[in-house]
Amino acid sequence: MDEQKETLQRIVSTLASKNDEIHNFIDMLNHTIRNVQVNSSTAISELDEEFDGLYSVLDEMKGTMANAIQQEEARKIQALQDQLSQCSNALESSEELLELAAQSLDVKDPVEFLKAARQIKDRVTMASAFRISLKPKVSDSMTHLMVDFAVERRMLQAVKFLPVPKAPEIDLAACLVADNCITVSWRMPEEDSRIDHFVLEYRKTNVDGLPRVKDEERWERIDYIKATEYTLSGLKFDTKYMNVRVQACNKAVAGEYSDPVTLETKAFVFGLDSTSSHLNLKVEDTYVEWDPTGGKGQEKIKGKENKSRSGAPSPKRTSVSTRSSPRGSRDHFTGESYTVLGDTAVESGQNYWEVRAQKDCKSYSVGVTYRNLGKFDQLGKTNSSWCIHINNWLQTTFSAKHNNKTKTLDIPVPDRIGVYCDFDGGQLTFYNANSKELLHTFKTKFTQPLLPAFMIWCGGLTVSTGLQVPSAVKTLQKNENGLSGSTSSLNNIA
């Protein structure tokens, strides 16, 4: 009996669950019915509105065309009435002249007769009856204002509900990725005059193709695009690829999305490595700022730790007590090496990033270095680091530095510096990031991976990464190699 009771309880539970499921489904059906009724009413209202608009257009066209016929009628009648008036006047004058000529025939005096005959002859020569045209100026035909709406009638009879637009096709060959912009071009598989606008969606990914994880990245949306091409500008390429897709919309409904395409977004992305930066530098992602209290604060903390550990043997440095990274751990820069490095190395290819200094920045350097830069070493003073240095203390100096040698740059200091590093080509070039004017070029053979490097004293630097090599820089690289700007005499010192 217990077993039967347990079975019956399971049946009751199953039935109750099924009943809840059916109740929920009934609620959903009722909700759907209400939605169908509401949407049908909306559709009928919009249908009435469209037909009312069509009737209005037809009435307006009918009025305009009827007015044109009436104006033509008035013009022709006026022309004919003017001609009729001229003919009536000519006839009246001709009849008067005829009567005068008949009376002249009865004149007996030869002199008077000759005089009368001459007068009549002169008047006949000038008579309007012989000058007017006896052909109507206008015809009575109005066939040039007739209409035939057979074609339009067939078009109206063919009016149907709006079809769902087909999915656009992205023209991959016409898409362009350059200067941190993506231009996407597409076409419809067949002409559709009812398309009102397009929707473009894009998302970042590190997968070549569609993301393997559903909704790995959220789609960003650009709506109400009227053309079949759109340029996404001002992008930060902090992933390897970009997925894009397009959707066509008419007034009523949106169609299916196009097949997504994947565009490669080559760019060098890095942050600033706070684990090895000088203690007087405050580092946050891609911003570094001079902090005169930073080192003192750290020294006080270390002093307290040392006091608390007095009498105990000094522990060996291990991965537990020292922050490590995929690049390997290193000591903080110290002394007068107010340096912070990038957290990602340049190992190949062409790379580009930009640096902007605060206006009140007293001294800073921008460059690259091998990993072996010592914690006391300053940028440009070793044979493994290259940089340009700006000193705004007392007076502004601008120079290029490598292997403890300096070359003064007699050009204005830009507020934004572009750094172009062609690792395989052995070239490090600095540009005015705004005008793309060449500032200085180092040429050498890089034998080890390079880390972006920055020195800052009294002020702050903002680093912009995820940037493609600008088209203007690529053009300059093709057109010059030592022909313009400053090419360092230090270049060949590796």
Side-chain angles (χ1 to χ4, degrees):
M1 181 176 175
D2 291 340
E3 184 178 346
Q4 293 294 327
K5 187 174 181 180
E6 183 178 349
T7 302
L8 187 58
Q9 285 177 340
R10 285 200 301 270
I11 293 173
V12 169
S13 176
T14 301
L15 287 173
S17 176
K18 177 57 70 174
N19 287 347
D20 289 341
E21 186 178 343
I22 293 173
H23 276 300
N24 291 334
F25 184 65
I26 289 173
D27 290 340
M28 186 191 73
L29 289 176
N30 288 326
H31 181 70
T32 303
I33 290 171
R34 288 192 296 271
N35 283 346
V36 168
Q37 292 170 339
V38 170
N39 292 336
S40 296
S41 297
T42 301
I44 291 174
S45 297
E46 292 182 354
L47 182 67
D48 289 339
E49 184 178 342
E50 287 293 330
F51 271 96
D52 288 343
L54 188 59
Y55 298 149
S56 176
V57 170
L58 290 172
D59 286 340
E60 184 179 350
M61 289 181 61
K62 179 181 177 182
T64 300
M65 298 176 80
N67 186 50
I69 294 174
Q70 291 169 353
Q71 289 179 353
E72 181 69 357
E73 176 191 14
R75 184 189 70 81
K76 287 194 170 188
I77 289 176
Q78 183 63 47
L80 292 171
Q81 284 179 342
D82 291 343
Q83 194 173 13
L84 180 61
S85 177
Q86 292 173 1
C87 289
S88 297
N89 292 334
L91 179 61
E92 182 180 349
S93 175
S94 180
E95 288 177 345
E96 179 184 346
L97 186 59
L98 178 61
E99 183 179 353
L100 180 61
Q103 291 175 357
S104 297
L105 290 174
D106 296 333
V107 175
K108 304 298 184 183
D109 185 357
V111 176
E112 290 296 326
F113 178 79
L114 291 174
K115 182 180 178 181
R118 282 195 300 270
Q119 289 178 348
I120 292 170
K121 182 179 179 181
D122 291 342
R123 289 183 65 181
V124 167
T125 303
M126 301 299 295
S128 58
F130 295 96
R131 295 177 177 275
I132 62 172
S133 172
L134 297 181
K135 179 181 179 180
K137 287 185 176 181
V138 294
S139 72
D140 59 355
S141 174
M142 297 291 281
T143 55
H144 62 293
L145 293 177
M146 301 298 288
V147 295
D148 180 5
F149 289 147
V151 175
E152 289 78 3
R153 190 177 295 109
R154 285 195 296 270
M155 291 176 61
L156 287 173
Q157 289 170 345
V159 168
K160 298 178 181 178
F161 293 106
L162 283 173
V164 177
K166 293 187 176 181
E169 298 173 350
I170 295 179
D171 185 357
L172 191 58
C175 295
L176 178 65
V177 181
D179 296 324
N180 283 81
C181 298
I182 293 179
T183 298
V184 185
S185 182
W186 61 90
R187 56 178 173 265
M188 294 299 295
E190 58 187 46
E191 186 68 26
D192 188 348
S193 60
R194 298 178 185 272
I195 297 298
D196 179 70
H197 65 275
F198 297 94
V199 174
L200 171 66
E201 292 190 345
Y202 65 96
R203 66 181 174 187
K204 299 177 179 180
T205 178
N206 282 310
V207 179
D208 184 5
L210 295 179
R212 296 186 178 89
V213 181
K214 186 178 180 181
D215 298 329
E216 182 186 61
E217 291 288 340
R218 183 172 62 87
W219 287 98
E220 301 290 338
R221 183 182 179 92
I222 307 294
D223 210 341
Y224 298 105
I225 302 171
K226 294 295 184 179
T228 56
E229 183 178 284
Y230 189 83
T231 298
L232 298 163
S233 58
L235 299 172
K236 180 178 180 180
F237 290 159
D238 49 5
T239 58
K240 294 181 180 179
Y241 305 98
M242 188 83 77
N243 297 141
V244 294
R245 64 184 185 182
V246 182
Q247 179 186 45
C249 306
N250 57 32
K251 184 179 178 182
V253 66
E256 294 293 326
Y257 283 100
S258 65
D259 292 332
V261 300
T262 301
L263 303 174
E264 187 175 8
T265 55
K266 293 181 179 179
F268 180 48
V269 182
F270 66 92
L272 299 179
D273 183 11
S274 61
T275 64
S276 62
S277 61
H278 194 285
L279 295 178
N280 280 112
L281 299 181
K282 181 180 179 182
V283 178
E284 295 180 4
D285 191 21
T286 56
Y287 178 74
V288 56
E289 184 178 38
W290 164 262
D291 182 6
T293 65
K296 295 179 180 178
Q298 294 294 333
E299 288 172 2
K300 289 181 179 179
I301 293 173
K302 289 183 178 180
K304 290 181 180 179
E305 290 177 351
N306 291 336
K307 287 181 180 179
S308 65
R309 294 174 182 174
S310 59
S314 299
K316 294 182 179 179
R317 185 171 296 178
T318 66
S319 59
V320 176
S321 61
T322 304
R323 293 183 62 182
S324 62
S325 70
R327 297 164 297 282
S329 60
R330 60 175 294 151
D331 292 336
H332 281 280
F333 288 98
T334 189
E336 295 184 355
S337 180
Y338 302 110
T339 304
V340 61
L341 303 178
D343 60 7
T344 304
V346 175
E347 299 184 18
S348 64
Q350 300 175 358
N351 304 273
Y352 181 82
W353 60 94
E354 293 180 355
V355 182
R356 182 190 294 273
Q358 290 180 347
K359 291 184 179 180
D360 59 350
C361 197
K362 297 299 183 186
S363 178
Y364 61 97
S365 298
V366 177
V368 296
T369 181
Y370 293 155
R371 297 184 191 273
N372 61 4
L373 188 68
K375 66 179 181 178
F376 294 102
D377 292 336
Q378 297 182 22
L379 292 181
K381 292 190 176 183
T382 69
N383 63 358
S384 61
S385 62
W386 299 258
C387 73
I388 56 173
H389 177 72
I390 295 90
N391 190 338
N392 291 319
W393 187 254
L394 299 180
Q395 62 180 11
T396 299
T397 59
F398 192 16
S399 58
K401 292 185 175 183
H402 171 60
N403 202 20
N404 207 25
K405 295 182 180 180
T406 300
K407 179 178 180 179
T408 301
L409 305 180
D410 190 18
I411 47 179
V413 178
D415 63 349
R416 196 157 53 98
I417 296 172
V419 184
Y420 169 78
C421 181
D422 182 358
F423 186 90
D424 302 317
Q427 183 168 318
L428 177 68
T429 304
F430 299 89
Y431 289 93
N432 181 325
N434 296 318
S435 67
K436 300 302 182 287
E437 176 189 3
L438 176 62
L439 303 176
H440 184 76
T441 296
F442 290 105
K443 291 184 178 180
T444 187
K445 181 178 180 181
F446 298 121
T447 59
Q448 301 176 37
L450 295 168
L451 290 171
F454 312 89
M455 187 283 293
I456 180 71
W457 181 68
C458 290
L461 296 177
T462 300
V463 183
S464 298
T465 71
L467 302 178
Q468 287 188 301
V469 179
S471 298
V473 170
K474 289 182 178 179
T475 302
L476 286 172
Q477 290 299 321
K478 290 180 180 179
N479 294 340
E480 71 84 33
N481 257 334
L483 297 179
S484 63
S486 171
T487 303
S488 178
S489 60
L490 313 176
N491 291 337
N492 297 323
I493 300 177

